[in-house]
Amino acid sequence: MDRFQELTAFIAVVETGGFSAAARKTGDSQSGISKAVNALEKRLGVALLHRSTRKVTLTEQGQKYYERTKPLLDEIQVADGELTSSVQTVSGLMRIAAPSTFGRLHVLPLIPELLSQHPGLRIDLVLSDALRDMIEDRIDLAIRISQINDPDSVVRRVTGTSLVCAGSRRYFEQHGIPETPADLADHNCLIYGEMTEWPFTGPEGHFSVPVRGNLSSNSVETILAGVVAGVGIGLFHRASLVGEFQHSDVITVLDEFMHEPRDISLVWPKRRFVPTRVRRATDFLASALSKRIQDGKINYPPLTP
């Protein structure tokens, strides 16, 4: 068996924690990964991995071997990338993950132009409000609207958006308009995900207010539909209240307390070699998203009573 294949399989198992995960990462079969690692151990005459039904860990010899060989494999990938990047066409499959509503409103409209620029590229757009494991789910690039504390990822801030607290005119006519965040205790607040405390900013700094209501959902679109129907008040990113979700009956409240910006960032797994298709798509989306959101291509509605 090819030594490079053995080494690639071994390092993939170490970095993903198992043979099935390594197979997903490399695109090989699980049996192929297992055969490659077994062949490597047989050739070296030592056990590199402890195997159990629950997990795979390194032996002492395996740890030493990994520390010596991982930089070598990285250098090979960098050398290959440097040699081919100047002449390589952008092609192959790329998985991009984005929050559902933001992805539909802002990422999907950019995909045709990206594919037009790079006809050999194939995009798998994964729209989900769940935080995806980029290695486990084989995500090449993720768009996130949140604080990111992941030492294994590279984060590139693109632009920002603000939070808004919004309800329908019909709801406020029936229940009154909250004048301070504390007034939300007397209102029906629609809960997205597990956000049962809403963040605000006052003269003394940041604070949060517990909220509750009779409708919760893991879908921003469901919460917005509830707001439009007059069920209650919702908390949104302003970037979500555009296009088809720009409704004349929806107004914002408590604007003087909404001063917590949210970064919109591109995130990819930390690695020395980044495929050309990921670099090009990242550069394109960074420019296009910033222009779309900040330079007036998306016109935000006047969201005041």
Side-chain angles (χ1 to χ4, degrees), residues 6 10 38-48 61 65:
E6 295 173 357
F10 167 68
N38 289 338
L40 176 62
E41 290 180 317
K42 183 177 180 181
R43 180 169 59 80
L44 296 175
V46 297
L48 300 174
Q61 293 90 342
Y65 191 72

Side-chain angles (χ1 to χ4, degrees), residues 33-263:
I33 295 292
S34 180
K35 288 179 181 178
V37 174
N38 289 338
L40 176 62
E41 290 180 317
K42 183 177 180 181
R43 180 169 59 80
L44 296 175
V46 297
L48 300 174
L49 300 171
H50 291 300
R51 299 163 173 83
S52 71
T53 56
R54 297 181 60 184
K55 61 181 179 179
V56 176
T57 58
L58 285 165
T59 64
E60 183 179 353
Q61 293 90 342
Q63 181 66 43
K64 293 178 181 179
Y65 191 72
Y66 172 77
E67 291 173 356
R68 292 294 299 274
T69 57
K70 179 60 166 65
L72 297 177
L73 185 61
D74 287 344
E75 288 300 326
I76 292 174
Q77 291 177 329
V78 170
D80 286 350
E82 290 176 348
L83 183 63
T84 60
S85 60
S86 60
V87 296
Q88 186 182 51
T89 58
V90 178
S91 62
L93 176 65
M94 181 173 175
R95 300 195 81 199
I96 302 174
S100 298
T101 302
F102 183 87
R104 273 212 311 124
L105 291 173
H106 298 292
V107 181
L108 183 57
L110 301 176
I111 296 301
E113 184 178 350
L114 176 60
L115 293 176
S116 176
Q117 291 184 12
H118 306 292
L121 191 63
R122 291 181 293 123
I123 299 294
D124 181 7
L125 184 59
V126 181
L127 298 182
S128 172
D129 290 333
L131 195 61
R132 309 298 293 253
D133 184 308
M134 298 189 69
I135 298 299
E136 183 73 15
D137 295 334
R138 293 176 294 161
I139 302 297
D140 296 297
L141 183 68
I143 295 110
R144 293 187 180 159
I145 314 175
S146 61
Q147 184 177 359
I148 303 167
N149 297 309
D150 186 353
D152 295 323
S153 297
V154 180
V155 180
R156 178 175 176 178
R157 183 186 182 278
V158 173
T159 184
T161 187
S162 59
L163 290 175
V164 291
C165 197
S168 71
R169 296 180 189 274
R170 177 174 36 159
Y171 174 86
F172 292 129
E173 288 171 357
Q174 295 176 353
H175 303 280
I177 296 177
E179 296 182 359
T180 69
D183 293 341
L184 291 174
D186 299 321
H187 286 270
N188 193 41
C189 297
L190 311 187
I191 309 301
Y192 166 66
E194 298 180 356
M195 290 189 63
T196 56
E197 292 194 0
W198 289 0
F200 297 95
T201 303
E204 298 181 1
H206 300 297
F207 65 98
S208 60
V209 171
V211 295
R212 58 191 177 89
N214 59 11
L215 175 64
S216 61
S217 176
N218 65 345
S219 164
V220 174
E221 297 178 31
T222 299
I223 298 300
L224 182 57
V227 165
V228 172
V231 176
I233 303 173
L235 185 71
F236 305 95
H237 295 114
R238 185 175 287 271
S240 297
L241 298 179
V242 298
E244 66 192 87
F245 300 121
Q246 180 176 333
H247 200 285
S248 61
D249 189 45
V250 175
I251 62 175
T252 62
V253 295
L254 304 174
D255 290 344
E256 64 271 32
F257 298 96
M258 308 298 292
H259 300 295
E260 279 207 18
R262 290 292 186 269
D263 287 344

Side-chain angles (χ1 to χ4, degrees), residues 272-288:
R272 292 192 64 180
F273 174 71
V274 180
T276 301
R277 61 180 178 273
V278 175
R279 294 200 304 271
R280 298 283 177 81
T282 298
D283 290 341
F284 170 83
L285 289 173
S287 175

